[in-house]
Amino acid sequence: MEITDIKFRHLQEVGRLKALVSVTFDGVFAVHDIKIIDGQDRLFLAMPSRRMPDGKYRDIVHPIGPGLRAELEDKVITAYHNTLPQ
């Protein structure tokens, strides 16, 4: 599965939420509302989630293995840094 497009919305400088991202895979499958979060020691991705009746949040979509998660995070965060003004 190849990442074929990354689009950013709601880029923010203030706060922990830095951007909302849409990622397209193989030009045929899109995942919207991936969040770039400013963590304590690094930026990381938070997958789209839904609040359950018990108040907890559950991811709607997510990478199954660590390899795809690492590739997705690396490509999205690199693209994010490339969109910021120099």
Side-chain angles (χ1 to χ4, degrees):
M1 188 174 278
E2 184 178 328
I3 297 169
T4 53
D5 192 32
I6 300 171
K7 292 183 181 171
F8 294 93
R9 324 182 271 128
H10 302 289
L11 291 169
Q12 301 179 133
E13 292 183 24
V14 178
R16 292 188 63 209
L17 176 64
K18 295 302 178 188
L20 289 176
V21 185
S22 294
V23 177
T24 304
F25 296 89
D26 293 335
V28 296
F29 185 79
V31 178
H32 303 287
D33 295 332
I34 298 171
K35 297 176 184 114
I36 297 178
I37 305 291
D38 188 4
Q40 290 184 3
D41 56 344
R42 66 181 182 89
L43 294 175
F44 67 92
L45 299 184
M47 295 295 117
S49 61
R50 172 179 294 147
R51 189 172 186 169
M52 303 308 290
D54 65 2
K56 294 181 182 177
Y57 286 88
R58 181 175 177 159
D59 286 349
I60 296 170
V61 296
H62 59 88
I64 297 298
L68 179 57
R69 179 176 288 279
E71 179 184 353
L72 178 62
E73 195 166 89
D74 180 57
K75 288 186 177 183
V76 169
I77 291 175
T78 297
Y80 169 73
H81 285 300
N82 291 337
T83 64
L84 297 176
Q86 300 298 328

